Amino acid sequence: MKATSAIVGIVCLFNSVFANGEFSILHSPNGINFRGDEQLNTSELPKIISTAMGHTTPSGDSWNGLTVLNPFNYPDVTISIVVEGVQSLQLSEPRYPLEITSDLYQVKNDFTSILGQVVFDENDVYSGDIQQKLPLQKLDDKDVAVLEFLKDVGVLMDLKQKVLSKSPLKTVWIQLNGLDDIVRVYGRDSEQAVEAVTALKSALTELQDALEGTYGDRFMLTTITNERLRLREKRSTSNAKANNELYWKLNLSKRYGTDYASIFNILLWTSVFLIAALISTAVFICTLDPGRDSIIYRMTTQRIKKEN
């Protein structure tokens, strides 16, 4: 018995050391059962979430924490929130240690490929208003890092409003990087980071309440956390002031997704080709010789009627 307890303790210690993230299920329908505490890696996330949504996925999964009990009670809405900067938000069970083995943007692309449909992201739900009225005590809303974090809170608030208005956003994958900026600037155990985590958890709770009020039990809400490994940094007062002054001088645009560059190039060169084709057609028609053998002559010449 003691040997078994020791083995379990070693396994838990191993997971806590080598897992630098966490996969949390805030809510899933009654027919979708998540159990156990087995560790998984990011490459398994697309299959796990897709299976929980009722999609057929390739076999060969090594993770055994998901069981579909009722195939007629799949979620109508699935929302996954990626939070960079912390290993765990200490949310409700079940929670699974997550090993970050691939870029989370690539995980989203793999998830989209499996579904074969549009997966909405933060750019589709964010209205651009970052002036969220939060009772901030330790965070300065004029700091660059804090403003980035407030954008993340704004994304969750806008998503909550879309849920309440029953907007047709059935599958959503949101990437939030603002908390990582807070941790990088102030430190992981700082009062600012603690306040930011509390505000983020409050926004997630409001989103979950909105989903429950709109869809009842037929929704799935998950979070994925990733603690980026970095050297401990300390911010000097002069650097902070310089960063804040620089921020207000810059005209920063809204966030763009990883596929923005490809979409922009497709639209740009398609427009160029269409404009070139239009100009070539116009030049060709203007320089066309309206002789007797041309279509212009036959369409514009009036035939003289002859009397019988």
Side-chain angles (χ1 to χ4, degrees):
M1 191 69 176
K2 292 182 178 179
T4 303
S5 301
I7 294 174
V8 172
I10 293 173
V11 171
C12 294
L13 178 62
F14 181 85
N15 287 344
S16 63
V17 171
F18 288 94
N20 51 346
E22 189 174 72
F23 178 54
S24 303
I25 314 298
L26 276 68
H27 180 86
S28 62
N30 291 329
I32 310 300
N33 182 30
F34 287 91
R35 67 185 188 280
D37 56 357
E38 181 183 356
Q39 179 175 317
L40 67 156
N41 58 63
T42 50
S43 63
E44 297 173 301
L45 286 177
K47 293 182 181 179
I48 293 172
I49 300 176
S50 300
T51 301
M53 294 173 61
H55 292 264
T56 302
T57 58
S59 59
D61 296 339
S62 60
W63 194 69
N64 300 315
L66 172 63
T67 303
V68 178
L69 301 177
N70 184 1
F72 301 101
N73 195 34
Y74 286 114
D76 294 332
V77 175
T78 301
I79 298 177
S80 297
I81 310 293
V82 177
V83 180
E84 301 277 3
V86 293
Q87 182 176 0
S88 174
L89 289 173
Q90 299 298 321
L91 300 171
S92 59
E93 300 287 346
R95 304 197 304 262
Y96 303 95
L98 180 65
E99 183 182 2
I100 309 298
T101 57
S102 57
D103 183 74
L104 290 174
Y105 284 106
Q106 183 59 44
V107 174
K108 180 204 171 186
N109 293 335
D110 296 340
F111 177 54
T112 305
S113 300
I114 292 177
L115 295 183
Q117 64 187 37
V118 176
V119 176
F120 297 95
D121 58 18
E122 59 274 10
N123 298 308
D124 299 310
V125 301
Y126 184 47
S127 64
D129 182 16
I130 66 173
Q131 302 299 326
Q132 300 295 328
K133 301 301 181 181
L134 296 177
L136 301 178
Q137 297 179 356
K138 303 298 181 180
L139 295 172
D140 183 5
D141 58 2
K142 294 183 180 180
D143 195 346
V144 179
V146 176
L147 286 174
E148 288 299 320
F149 173 73
L150 290 179
K151 285 184 179 181
D152 289 350
V153 177
V155 169
L156 295 178
M157 293 296 100
D158 289 341
L159 180 57
K160 183 188 75 171
Q161 294 301 322
K162 291 184 180 297
V163 168
L164 293 174
S165 61
K166 295 184 178 181
S167 179
L169 301 178
K170 300 302 181 183
T171 308
V172 181
W173 181 289
I174 290 179
Q175 186 98 9
L176 303 180
N177 300 316
L179 183 58
D180 185 62
D181 294 335
I182 297 291
V183 173
R184 174 179 54 82
V185 172
Y186 295 101
R188 183 181 59 182
D189 300 324
S190 63
E191 295 179 340
Q192 291 84 353
V194 172
E195 184 177 22
V197 170
T198 302
L200 193 61
K201 292 169 68 173
S202 177
L204 288 172
T205 301
E206 292 185 25
L207 175 60
Q208 182 176 350
D209 293 340
L211 286 165
E212 186 174 355
T214 304
Y215 298 101
D217 183 58
R218 300 289 295 271
F219 73 92
M220 185 167 66
L221 178 61
T222 65
T223 60
I224 302 165
T225 57
N226 175 25
E227 183 181 28
R228 295 177 179 175
L229 300 178
R230 59 168 62 89
L231 296 176
R232 187 173 182 180
E233 300 176 1
K234 291 185 178 180
R235 183 186 65 165
S236 64
T237 305
S238 59
N239 288 338
K241 292 181 178 179
N243 289 337
N244 290 333
E245 292 176 359
L246 178 61
Y247 178 83
W248 295 112
K249 292 179 181 179
L250 297 176
N251 185 18
L252 298 180
S253 64
K254 69 174 186 178
R255 296 180 181 179
Y256 293 98
T258 55
D259 56 350
Y260 176 79
S262 58
I263 295 176
F264 176 81
N265 277 278
I266 291 173
L267 295 177
L268 173 64
W269 293 110
T270 301
S271 302
V272 169
F273 289 141
L274 290 177
I275 293 174
L278 179 62
I279 294 175
S280 301
T281 304
V283 172
F284 175 76
I285 293 176
C286 291
T287 58
L288 189 65
D289 182 18
R292 292 178 176 272
D293 295 332
S294 69
I295 188 173
I296 296 179
Y297 178 80
R298 289 195 294 269
M299 293 179 63
T300 58
T301 303
Q302 296 181 356
R303 295 184 179 180
I304 301 175
K305 295 183 180 180
K306 296 181 180 180
E307 297 181 357
N308 294 329

